[in-house]
Every structure is written in C-alpha cells, then in structure tokens.
Amino acid sequence: MKALFDFMDKNIAPLFEKGGKFERLYPLWEAGDTFNRTPADVTPSAPHVRDSIDQKRLMIFVIYALIPCILFGIWNAGNQFNLANGIESTFGADMARGALMVLPIIFVSYAVGGLWEVLFAVIRRHEINEGFLVTGMLFPLTLAPTIPLWQVAIGISFGIVIGKEIFGGVGYNILNPALTARAFLFFAYPAQISGDKVWVGSLAESPSIVNSILGHSGEYVDGVTQATPLAVAAAAKGSGMAAVDALNHAGYTLQNMTVGNIPGSIGSTSVIAILIGMGFLMLTGIASWRVMVSGIIGCAMMGLLFNALPLDNEFASLPWFYHLVMGGFLFGIVFMATDPVSASATNVGKFIYGFLIGALTVLIRVANPAYPEGAMLAILFMNVMAPLVDHFVVQGHIKKRTAYARALNNA
Amino acid sequence: MAIGFCAFQQQGAIFRTRNPRSENSVANFKIKKGFDVKVVGKPSTNVEEYASQQLFTVYPSEFEGLKVRLKVKAGETVKRGDVLFENKKNEKMVFRSPCAGTVKAINLGARRFPVEIQIEKDAQSQDNVTFETYTRDSVGQLSREQVADHLLNTGVWPLIKQRPFNKIADPDAAPKAVFINACNSAPYQADFSLILKGDEEAFQTGINALAKLTEGKVHLCKSAGSDIPDFKNAESHTFSGKHPSGNTSVHINRISPILPHDTVYTITAQNVILIGKTLLTGELPKTKIIALAGPAVKEEFRKYYKVEIGGSLESLLSKAIQGDDVRLINGNVLWGSQIKADACVPYYGSEIFALEEDRSRHLLGWTTPGLFQYSAHRVNISSFFGFSHDWKLGTNLHGSHRAMVVTGWMDKFQPLNIMTDFLIRAALAHDTDEMIQLGILETDPEDFALASFVDPHKTDVCGIIKRGLEEIEEEGI
C-alpha cells in the first residue's frame, strides 16, 4: 500500500498541482486523495495543534446516523411492494425488491448531485465539499420509492444548484438543499410525490428488467392504491369521521406507524429507526439537541392546543402524539432542521427555531387543505426566518453584555 | 423567551459583582467553560543556569506595529544598556542593548524593517550604562511622570502592554487599572511560583511602580492552588478552572470589563520582576527564567532555565530537541509564534515549546472510530475516555480548510461571553460597529486559540480577530 501511495505522491499528484497537466481538475484529485488518506497539512500559525475533527468526519457520521433509516427504508419499500402485489413476502425477497427500488434512486442522487458539486468546485477552484454526501443521501430518503429516476436527477440538480451553489456553496446557503430539492419536486410534479397511489408501486409500473431479475413475470395485478396516514387523516376532515377512526379503518395504528411498516417516504416511516439516528446524533454531539427537543415539544404543544380548541376539524382533534409519529415530521426535525448551515446558530435561537418548526408543522397539517405534510414547508419557512431569530438573540446578548460591564464597573 | 433568558443571566452577572473585595482581599473566580489541551512534555520544577554563547539578538519585529528608528549601525561598539533603536512616534521610548559588544548585523525584512539586530558579545567588557537606583519604598514617593519617564528611559517600559489592542502601553494614557498575570492555564505556561522564589523584593518594587501609573487598582491574578503570597498595593484574585482561566482577557472580564474608551495596562508577572530589578539595581536586568517544554524536548531537558535576556539559545536547543522536523514556539502550544533553532531569548515570553511537525497521513482517517485521535468533540470515541493521560501531539491540521459554518460550538470553550461565531462574521464583514458591540475590545487573538483548535472547518479564527482589531485601531473607536 505504501509503495502505491508513494508512487501516487511522486508521479500522479504533480499532474494535478499548480503547473501540472490537469491543474484544473485539482479539486477532483484532492477529493480522491484525501478520501484515501487524511491530508498532510500542518497548522500555519497559532494554535499550533488542532483537534482531530474535520468536515469529512462530521458528514460521514451523519450518514452513519442515517443507516437505520436507509436499511429500514429498503426493507419497507420491498415489503410494501410485495404485500400489495401479492408476492410472497420473505425478508430476503423484501430486501431484494427494496434494494432494486431504492438503490437506483440513491445512485442517481449521488451521481447527478456529485456532478454538479464537482463542476462548481472545478469552476470556482475550491475543494469539493463533503456536505454533498449528506444532501445526496437525505434527498432520496424523503422521496416515494416509486419516483421516476429522471425526477430524482432534476430534483437533486435544483437542490444543489439553486439551493446551494448559487449562494456560494456549503456554508453560504440559506435553505437546506435536500429539502429545496424535495420542495421543487413537490411543486413541479405533485402527482408523483403527493398522489395517493405513488407510495407503494405495482409490478406493472416496475421496470421489466427489475421484475425479471427478481423472477416476477407473467400476470400483473392492476395499479395499487394506498394512501399514507396523513392523506387518510386529511381526507377525514370533511367526512365527519374521526381522524383516528379513519386511520384505524385504513389499517394505520399507532403501533405500525411507530414501527414504520406502512407506505411513505423511503426513510421517514419508521419512528424507531429515526430515534436510533437521533440518539446517535445526540451522543456524538453533531446535531443540535436543542433543535430536536424543542421541535418535538413544539409539535406536541401545538397538537395539544388544537385538541383543546373546539374546532370543526377532525384533523385538529387527532391526539397530539399522532402528530409525532405521522408523516415526515420526526425525520425532518432530526435530520433536516438540524442542518447547521440553514438553522439558527445561537443557543436560544435554536430553541425558538425548533419549537416553531414543530408548531408550524401541526398548523399546516390542520389548516392547509391541499397538502397535509407540513414538516417540509415548516422547515423551509424557518430556514428563511433563522437569521431573523438570531438577530434578535444577538441584540439581546449585546444589551446583556453592556449591562454586565456597566454593573461591574460601578460596583 | 430570549429576553427572559438574557435577563436571568444578567442577574447572575450582577450578583457576581457583589463580592466584597476590599484592599488585598482574595476573590475567587471559577471559570466553567474551557478545555485543557493535554500534551506531553511537562517541565520539571528544577531551575538550571544556562550561560549563553557570544551571539545576542534583539528582535524589533516582536513589537507589533512599532515604527523603528535605528540608533546604531553594523560594526559599532555598544555598551550594555546603550540605545539600539527608538520608537519613531514617541522618542522617549527606547530599546537598549542586552550586552556589551559589537553590532554584528542588522537584518532587514520587508520595507526595510529591521527584523533582527545581532550583537557579538564581548566577554571581557564590563561597560554598562547605569541609571538611578530606588528602594522598594522610595518608588512610592515618585510621581506618575517620574516613574513613567524612568521606565521609558531604562527601556523596560515596553514590558507593559495595554488593552484594548494588546500593544505597548501608551505612557500618556491613564489606565483605569493594571492587571498582572501570574496564572498558568495553558500547557505548559511557566509556573510563576517557581520564578518568584528569591525575587519577592523585586516583585514588590515592580508592583509599587505600577501602582503609581494608575489611579485605579493593581490586580494580581493567580491560579488557584499556587503558593504565591499576597503583596502590598495589589489586590489578589485567584482563578480556577480549565484553560483559558489564565488569560488576561478573562481576568479583565471578570474583574473590570473594558468599556469603549477605557484603557487598562497588562503585564505578565515575570516582567514585573524585571521592572523591579531595574529600579533596585539601576541597571538592566541580565537574566530571566524560561520553561522548556513539549513532546519534542528530550525528557531530561524539560525544565526551567535561567537564561541571559537576548542571549542565544542555540547550544541549549541543539542538545535538547529530538527529531528532525521540529517546530519551536516562543510561548505555549496554543498561543505563541514560531522561532528558529538558533533563536535568542525573546523580549516577551517565559516559555519555549517544541513539538514535531506532523505530516503523517492516515488511511481512511475520516471514518475510523477515533480511538487514538485527540479531540474535544464526541465524534471521536477518545473524547469519552481519552483525557486521563497526556497525548503526544504534533502540528497536523487534521483536515483541510472549508467554508465556515456557524454552529455555536466554539462558544462551549469561550468563557468570555462573546458570541464567537457572530464576532467572526462581523470581522469578516468588516463591520466594526458590530465587532465592538459584540465585545471584540475585551479580547486578544489568544482568546480564540481554543476556538481555532476545536473548529472542524479549520478556520483561522485568531487571524480573523487580529485583523478585526487592527481595523478598529486604524479607524478609531
């Protein structure tokens, strides 16, 4: 191995460095080189020693936190598909089908998003940012497993280019790029992302090559229709049927919504998998516990408030804890809202920011007739508001500082 | 919510000010935020005499922002105590030769700034410029102007610095207080209780002189647990807690924060002894004590040395340093400037730290559990149980530079109640008003060394703050 690295350092690296043949492609070389081995840079000035943490490590640990969601999402996509299409559901068969549904989405997301990232890095002559690793994984997990791959490509392109790169890249963007990408798909192609029948998929619509790999050929059942819990609860609004009853009627109990073996976005159906990720993020201190905890409190309190109000809205009477386990709220508050670039940066601001995301999510679910999933819009709205929240916190801090200094000087 | 939270903290702050602090009383301050960087290389408590070789050097570059007017030329013979150069902006402020001999070379840097003035010491010559002598008590009879003029004339005045901007004290400014720093919280700052032994008289004389310079108080700030006694004319305070509990900015913040248009003088405790000796003996002090520490110093050489001020350290360092690629630092590992292997004893500073230039590369280092990597973050497993022993650290950056993300993490290690991320942003945006409002005047770049240390984006926080302070100084407050 050492001989190989020595060879690369001696013969290949100079091609990409200043004056080399492929100087313009330096970001690509640098990314690959530092992927293999940590860089050899030393501190330019004081402090002369540095902590061994870096951006790469931070980002890969977010991916680690997502692993339970990814694995469960793959199994669940396959399981839902097999059950709905009358195929015998075994763990192996579910994973195989799920992998063939989900992995192409992840692959396209990384390939197309990576292309943009590299392109901008080369043009701007700066290093490739690892933040893309997280964006490229979060985005597929918020999609339906049946999403057409061309939409994945367009969505991630929009998210990376408009959501991030035109602002200057990671650290400068104001919106979470993965959510921007999803919001774009939601507004541009609503049929494929918010329709009732998209979440499970059918053999007839599945690519024939996938079907033949798995040995599923011959007779196809017709399109499968199954709404998500949020759609079911939203539909109960005008029907006079209590939301909980409607959910139970459609087969959605608190238990299976917690476990997550229901139709929904790839990564966000299982509360248990998300909580494992949340525990990992809190343990490692990567994501802000303030945002996560206050978000959950905000969601619960808004749910309780609606329960207490005498409204003619069945969704409003949905028990508050249902809001926590339904839809993409928990996934959003744990993995999307905690994005440090677009979230509030002050500690007090993080509490306010998280709380309002939780509260707005429930408000949108109850009040918005068109689309019951409020988490995405609530997070994007609070992304925009985060600098304002921080502004007031900083102003408060300045007053406090001045008062402290004056008090001590007069003591 | 935000306002309520702030009001709560503010009450706490006001409560702290109600500590009864009469003359010579001891107030204890516990600093909760911070981080102790555990690095091997602790010096033993032995003090060894070290006689320098023939070469002495004065570094005008140590005095940042100084406009230098040279008073000697290469080849000239000088006495010990002859003026080598003066401050162009204040001709009373002179800098004198640490030894008698011949000016060997004046090495110029950018814009013909004299970076080094090298003097070949004449071992036989006893030529010495002498000044008036005082006793411990007679210093107290002098006026402020007399003390200031004497310290300026003897060339020890630049040992006193002033905040804001941490520059050589302005003799005409009336400081509201003087802060003497006798703490050692950074690894391995020289322990002042060792340096003090036998020089109590000089230290008291120095304090008496400093007390004449201010209408306010002289504050002596000590580390908790050190056996430094109390001194007359100085109010003692002890600071406990992790680094940066020993930083002067923390002391000022807790005792008497700087408001706009305030000035305070600051000085390290060893330099007070040098001032005291000058007053007592009537000649420039010959020696001071430095600590030699760090992982790249051979174990038997990790101790304190009584060295000649300005004298060459080359023979000592050539014996003491192990390893081929070593970085030598004038100061501690968190805050200090690089020096060369043939360096001479600097004007400021009481310690020299040596550590290896670590250019090692680790296979797939970004994804390992981090058992053997030193880190304050819980992303490395080592941070859960790795701090019971010292670590052999090097200068590796552990990553490469990325755009800064405002995370608020840096404030976990910042006891100054400064919103570090927002302060950096204001500095990057050249927003001097906001920088001042956020408290940059209370700080020195050294207060941001820990912020730089823990930053995953490898931002040069100290450099950004330094440039911010320079901008404010240029524009005026």
Side-chain angles (χ1 to χ4, degrees), chain A residues 21 26 48 56 65 86 118 174 180 184 195 234 245 266 281 326 336 340 369 371 384 394 398:
Chain A
K21 214 174 182 181
Y26 177 77
H48 300 276
K56 271 195 180 58
V118 169
I174 51 170
T180 310
F184 169 76
D245 292 341
I266 295 166
L281 287 179
M326 280 165 65
M336 302 287 198
Y371 183 57
V384 179
V394 170
I398 288 169

PDB file of all heavy atoms in Angstrom, chain A residues 21 26 48 56 65 86 118 174 180 184 195 234 245 266 281 326 336 340 369 371 384 394 398:
ATOM      1  N   LYS A  21      -0.422  19.095 -15.712  1.00  0.00           N
ATOM      2  CA  LYS A  21      -1.224  18.946 -16.915  1.00  0.00           C
ATOM      3  C   LYS A  21      -2.719  19.101 -16.627  1.00  0.00           C
ATOM      4  O   LYS A  21      -3.466  19.671 -17.411  1.00  0.00           O
ATOM      5  CB  LYS A  21      -0.946  17.548 -17.493  1.00  0.00           C
ATOM      6  CG  LYS A  21      -0.982  17.468 -18.991  1.00  0.00           C
ATOM      7  CD  LYS A  21      -0.541  16.069 -19.396  1.00  0.00           C
ATOM      8  CE  LYS A  21      -0.504  15.890 -20.885  1.00  0.00           C
ATOM      9  NZ  LYS A  21      -0.112  14.541 -21.245  1.00  0.00           N
ATOM     10  N   TYR A  26      -7.832  19.812 -10.138  1.00  0.00           N
ATOM     11  CA  TYR A  26      -7.265  19.609  -8.807  1.00  0.00           C
ATOM     12  C   TYR A  26      -8.312  19.231  -7.752  1.00  0.00           C
ATOM     13  O   TYR A  26      -8.080  18.321  -6.944  1.00  0.00           O
ATOM     14  CB  TYR A  26      -6.474  20.845  -8.356  1.00  0.00           C
ATOM     15  CG  TYR A  26      -5.926  20.705  -6.967  1.00  0.00           C
ATOM     16  CD1 TYR A  26      -4.801  19.917  -6.719  1.00  0.00           C
ATOM     17  CD2 TYR A  26      -6.556  21.301  -5.875  1.00  0.00           C
ATOM     18  CE1 TYR A  26      -4.318  19.742  -5.443  1.00  0.00           C
ATOM     19  CE2 TYR A  26      -6.080  21.125  -4.592  1.00  0.00           C
ATOM     20  CZ  TYR A  26      -4.962  20.349  -4.379  1.00  0.00           C
ATOM     21  OH  TYR A  26      -4.498  20.155  -3.117  1.00  0.00           O
ATOM     22  N   HIS A  48      -0.938  25.877  17.526  1.00  0.00           N
ATOM     23  CA  HIS A  48      -0.063  25.001  16.752  1.00  0.00           C
ATOM     24  C   HIS A  48      -0.541  23.562  16.709  1.00  0.00           C
ATOM     25  O   HIS A  48      -0.020  22.753  15.953  1.00  0.00           O
ATOM     26  CB  HIS A  48       1.357  25.096  17.299  1.00  0.00           C
ATOM     27  CG  HIS A  48       1.895  26.483  17.209  1.00  0.00           C
ATOM     28  ND1 HIS A  48       2.479  26.982  16.075  1.00  0.00           N
ATOM     29  CD2 HIS A  48       1.875  27.515  18.088  1.00  0.00           C
ATOM     30  CE1 HIS A  48       2.823  28.250  16.271  1.00  0.00           C
ATOM     31  NE2 HIS A  48       2.461  28.586  17.484  1.00  0.00           N
ATOM     32  N   LYS A  56     -15.064  16.170   6.881  1.00  0.00           N
ATOM     33  CA  LYS A  56     -15.332  14.838   6.337  1.00  0.00           C
ATOM     34  C   LYS A  56     -15.890  13.939   7.422  1.00  0.00           C
ATOM     35  O   LYS A  56     -16.856  13.203   7.220  1.00  0.00           O
ATOM     36  CB  LYS A  56     -14.024  14.223   5.831  1.00  0.00           C
ATOM     37  CG  LYS A  56     -13.700  14.551   4.410  1.00  0.00           C
ATOM     38  CD  LYS A  56     -12.607  13.611   3.901  1.00  0.00           C
ATOM     39  CE  LYS A  56     -12.256  13.916   2.473  1.00  0.00           C
ATOM     40  NZ  LYS A  56     -11.807  15.289   2.228  1.00  0.00           N
ATOM     41  N   ALA A  65     -25.606   7.958  11.091  1.00  0.00           N
ATOM     42  CA  ALA A  65     -26.865   8.110  11.828  1.00  0.00           C
ATOM     43  C   ALA A  65     -28.061   7.754  10.950  1.00  0.00           C
ATOM     44  O   ALA A  65     -29.125   7.382  11.448  1.00  0.00           O
ATOM     45  CB  ALA A  65     -26.995   9.536  12.339  1.00  0.00           C
ATOM     46  N   GLY A  86     -49.161  -9.045  -4.133  1.00  0.00           N
ATOM     47  CA  GLY A  86     -49.450 -10.464  -3.965  1.00  0.00           C
ATOM     48  C   GLY A  86     -48.235 -11.348  -4.128  1.00  0.00           C
ATOM     49  O   GLY A  86     -48.338 -12.510  -4.513  1.00  0.00           O
ATOM     50  N   VAL A 118     -18.849  18.726  -8.358  1.00  0.00           N
ATOM     51  CA  VAL A 118     -17.509  18.734  -8.955  1.00  0.00           C
ATOM     52  C   VAL A 118     -17.384  19.877  -9.953  1.00  0.00           C
ATOM     53  O   VAL A 118     -16.381  20.605  -9.981  1.00  0.00           O
ATOM     54  CB  VAL A 118     -17.209  17.374  -9.637  1.00  0.00           C
ATOM     55  CG1 VAL A 118     -15.946  17.459 -10.476  1.00  0.00           C
ATOM     56  CG2 VAL A 118     -17.078  16.281  -8.598  1.00  0.00           C
ATOM     57  N   ILE A 174     -28.936  29.513   2.294  1.00  0.00           N
ATOM     58  CA  ILE A 174     -29.879  29.840   3.370  1.00  0.00           C
ATOM     59  C   ILE A 174     -30.922  28.747   3.547  1.00  0.00           C
ATOM     60  O   ILE A 174     -31.569  28.674   4.578  1.00  0.00           O
ATOM     61  CB  ILE A 174     -30.591  31.193   3.120  1.00  0.00           C
ATOM     62  CG1 ILE A 174     -31.186  31.247   1.727  1.00  0.00           C
ATOM     63  CG2 ILE A 174     -29.640  32.350   3.343  1.00  0.00           C
ATOM     64  CD1 ILE A 174     -32.089  32.426   1.514  1.00  0.00           C
ATOM     65  N   THR A 180     -34.916  21.726  -0.338  1.00  0.00           N
ATOM     66  CA  THR A 180     -35.190  22.564  -1.505  1.00  0.00           C
ATOM     67  C   THR A 180     -35.472  21.675  -2.706  1.00  0.00           C
ATOM     68  O   THR A 180     -36.394  21.921  -3.487  1.00  0.00           O
ATOM     69  CB  THR A 180     -33.975  23.465  -1.813  1.00  0.00           C
ATOM     70  OG1 THR A 180     -33.584  24.111  -0.607  1.00  0.00           O
ATOM     71  CG2 THR A 180     -34.302  24.501  -2.856  1.00  0.00           C
ATOM     72  N   PHE A 184     -39.008  21.422  -4.652  1.00  0.00           N
ATOM     73  CA  PHE A 184     -39.100  21.651  -6.096  1.00  0.00           C
ATOM     74  C   PHE A 184     -39.934  20.547  -6.749  1.00  0.00           C
ATOM     75  O   PHE A 184     -40.843  20.808  -7.528  1.00  0.00           O
ATOM     76  CB  PHE A 184     -37.699  21.695  -6.708  1.00  0.00           C
ATOM     77  CG  PHE A 184     -37.701  21.674  -8.205  1.00  0.00           C
ATOM     78  CD1 PHE A 184     -38.036  22.810  -8.919  1.00  0.00           C
ATOM     79  CD2 PHE A 184     -37.378  20.512  -8.899  1.00  0.00           C
ATOM     80  CE1 PHE A 184     -38.060  22.795 -10.292  1.00  0.00           C
ATOM     81  CE2 PHE A 184     -37.407  20.488 -10.281  1.00  0.00           C
ATOM     82  CZ  PHE A 184     -37.742  21.634 -10.979  1.00  0.00           C
ATOM     83  N   GLY A 195     -49.569  12.239  -4.729  1.00  0.00           N
ATOM     84  CA  GLY A 195     -50.762  11.463  -5.090  1.00  0.00           C
ATOM     85  C   GLY A 195     -50.945  10.282  -4.152  1.00  0.00           C
ATOM     86  O   GLY A 195     -50.029   9.895  -3.426  1.00  0.00           O
ATOM     87  N   ALA A 234     -56.264  13.550   6.507  1.00  0.00           N
ATOM     88  CA  ALA A 234     -56.724  14.773   5.859  1.00  0.00           C
ATOM     89  C   ALA A 234     -58.079  14.551   5.208  1.00  0.00           C
ATOM     90  O   ALA A 234     -58.952  15.423   5.225  1.00  0.00           O
ATOM     91  CB  ALA A 234     -55.701  15.234   4.829  1.00  0.00           C
ATOM     92  N   ASP A 245     -60.363   7.113  13.859  1.00  0.00           N
ATOM     93  CA  ASP A 245     -61.162   6.008  13.294  1.00  0.00           C
ATOM     94  C   ASP A 245     -60.813   5.789  11.835  1.00  0.00           C
ATOM     95  O   ASP A 245     -60.685   4.651  11.365  1.00  0.00           O
ATOM     96  CB  ASP A 245     -62.652   6.321  13.426  1.00  0.00           C
ATOM     97  CG  ASP A 245     -63.085   6.315  14.888  1.00  0.00           C
ATOM     98  OD1 ASP A 245     -62.345   5.731  15.698  1.00  0.00           O
ATOM     99  OD2 ASP A 245     -64.116   6.923  15.200  1.00  0.00           O
ATOM    100  N   ILE A 266     -39.213   6.986   1.687  1.00  0.00           N
ATOM    101  CA  ILE A 266     -38.325   5.843   1.930  1.00  0.00           C
ATOM    102  C   ILE A 266     -37.782   5.830   3.355  1.00  0.00           C
ATOM    103  O   ILE A 266     -37.857   4.839   4.066  1.00  0.00           O
ATOM    104  CB  ILE A 266     -37.154   5.862   0.927  1.00  0.00           C
ATOM    105  CG1 ILE A 266     -37.686   5.655  -0.491  1.00  0.00           C
ATOM    106  CG2 ILE A 266     -36.117   4.802   1.259  1.00  0.00           C
ATOM    107  CD1 ILE A 266     -36.702   5.990  -1.581  1.00  0.00           C
ATOM    108  N   LEU A 281     -26.929  10.953  16.897  1.00  0.00           N
ATOM    109  CA  LEU A 281     -26.554  12.358  16.663  1.00  0.00           C
ATOM    110  C   LEU A 281     -26.362  13.100  17.974  1.00  0.00           C
ATOM    111  O   LEU A 281     -25.479  13.937  18.120  1.00  0.00           O
ATOM    112  CB  LEU A 281     -27.638  13.060  15.828  1.00  0.00           C
ATOM    113  CG  LEU A 281     -27.720  12.681  14.361  1.00  0.00           C
ATOM    114  CD1 LEU A 281     -28.849  13.429  13.680  1.00  0.00           C
ATOM    115  CD2 LEU A 281     -26.408  12.979  13.638  1.00  0.00           C
ATOM    116  N   MET A 326     -46.628  10.529  12.702  1.00  0.00           N
ATOM    117  CA  MET A 326     -47.152  10.525  11.328  1.00  0.00           C
ATOM    118  C   MET A 326     -46.282  11.358  10.394  1.00  0.00           C
ATOM    119  O   MET A 326     -45.689  12.352  10.816  1.00  0.00           O
ATOM    120  CB  MET A 326     -48.570  11.112  11.306  1.00  0.00           C
ATOM    121  CG  MET A 326     -49.626  10.123  11.746  1.00  0.00           C
ATOM    122  SD  MET A 326     -51.169  10.953  12.115  1.00  0.00           S
ATOM    123  CE  MET A 326     -51.626  11.568  10.526  1.00  0.00           C
ATOM    124  N   MET A 336     -33.217  17.201   9.034  1.00  0.00           N
ATOM    125  CA  MET A 336     -33.259  18.371   8.144  1.00  0.00           C
ATOM    126  C   MET A 336     -33.140  19.674   8.923  1.00  0.00           C
ATOM    127  O   MET A 336     -32.368  20.554   8.563  1.00  0.00           O
ATOM    128  CB  MET A 336     -34.586  18.398   7.380  1.00  0.00           C
ATOM    129  CG  MET A 336     -34.834  17.173   6.562  1.00  0.00           C
ATOM    130  SD  MET A 336     -33.761  17.185   5.146  1.00  0.00           S
ATOM    131  CE  MET A 336     -34.568  16.018   4.089  1.00  0.00           C
ATOM    132  N   PRO A 340     -26.748  22.597  10.272  1.00  0.00           N
ATOM    133  CA  PRO A 340     -26.222  23.800  10.938  1.00  0.00           C
ATOM    134  C   PRO A 340     -26.124  25.010  10.028  1.00  0.00           C
ATOM    135  O   PRO A 340     -26.085  26.133  10.507  1.00  0.00           O
ATOM    136  CB  PRO A 340     -24.840  23.359  11.417  1.00  0.00           C
ATOM    137  CG  PRO A 340     -24.488  22.197  10.572  1.00  0.00           C
ATOM    138  CD  PRO A 340     -25.753  21.530  10.185  1.00  0.00           C
ATOM    139  N   PRO A 369     -55.633  22.766   3.349  1.00  0.00           N
ATOM    140  CA  PRO A 369     -56.497  21.736   2.764  1.00  0.00           C
ATOM    141  C   PRO A 369     -55.815  20.950   1.651  1.00  0.00           C
ATOM    142  O   PRO A 369     -56.188  19.821   1.362  1.00  0.00           O
ATOM    143  CB  PRO A 369     -57.665  22.547   2.216  1.00  0.00           C
ATOM    144  CG  PRO A 369     -57.095  23.877   1.923  1.00  0.00           C
ATOM    145  CD  PRO A 369     -55.995  24.106   2.905  1.00  0.00           C
ATOM    146  N   TYR A 371     -52.431  20.034   1.109  1.00  0.00           N
ATOM    147  CA  TYR A 371     -51.334  19.090   1.304  1.00  0.00           C
ATOM    148  C   TYR A 371     -51.085  18.950   2.798  1.00  0.00           C
ATOM    149  O   TYR A 371     -50.707  19.902   3.475  1.00  0.00           O
ATOM    150  CB  TYR A 371     -50.073  19.639   0.616  1.00  0.00           C
ATOM    151  CG  TYR A 371     -48.894  18.717   0.696  1.00  0.00           C
ATOM    152  CD1 TYR A 371     -48.971  17.410   0.202  1.00  0.00           C
ATOM    153  CD2 TYR A 371     -47.703  19.143   1.251  1.00  0.00           C
ATOM    154  CE1 TYR A 371     -47.882  16.572   0.269  1.00  0.00           C
ATOM    155  CE2 TYR A 371     -46.605  18.302   1.320  1.00  0.00           C
ATOM    156  CZ  TYR A 371     -46.703  17.010   0.820  1.00  0.00           C
ATOM    157  OH  TYR A 371     -45.631  16.184   0.886  1.00  0.00           O
ATOM    158  N   VAL A 384     -35.674  30.325   6.396  1.00  0.00           N
ATOM    159  CA  VAL A 384     -35.648  31.721   5.966  1.00  0.00           C
ATOM    160  C   VAL A 384     -35.687  32.648   7.179  1.00  0.00           C
ATOM    161  O   VAL A 384     -35.071  33.714   7.191  1.00  0.00           O
ATOM    162  CB  VAL A 384     -36.844  32.003   5.023  1.00  0.00           C
ATOM    163  CG1 VAL A 384     -36.861  33.450   4.587  1.00  0.00           C
ATOM    164  CG2 VAL A 384     -36.774  31.096   3.811  1.00  0.00           C
ATOM    165  N   VAL A 394     -28.958  37.960  19.194  1.00  0.00           N
ATOM    166  CA  VAL A 394     -27.675  38.664  19.281  1.00  0.00           C
ATOM    167  C   VAL A 394     -27.876  40.063  19.884  1.00  0.00           C
ATOM    168  O   VAL A 394     -27.087  40.514  20.721  1.00  0.00           O
ATOM    169  CB  VAL A 394     -27.000  38.749  17.889  1.00  0.00           C
ATOM    170  CG1 VAL A 394     -25.804  39.680  17.918  1.00  0.00           C
ATOM    171  CG2 VAL A 394     -26.564  37.371  17.436  1.00  0.00           C
ATOM    172  N   ILE A 398     -26.124  41.555  23.216  1.00  0.00           N
ATOM    173  CA  ILE A 398     -25.342  42.800  23.277  1.00  0.00           C
ATOM    174  C   ILE A 398     -25.815  43.649  24.462  1.00  0.00           C
ATOM    175  O   ILE A 398     -25.003  44.188  25.226  1.00  0.00           O
ATOM    176  CB  ILE A 398     -25.457  43.576  21.939  1.00  0.00           C
ATOM    177  CG1 ILE A 398     -24.664  42.843  20.851  1.00  0.00           C
ATOM    178  CG2 ILE A 398     -24.967  45.004  22.088  1.00  0.00           C
ATOM    179  CD1 ILE A 398     -24.901  43.359  19.455  1.00  0.00           C
TER     180      ILE A 398
END
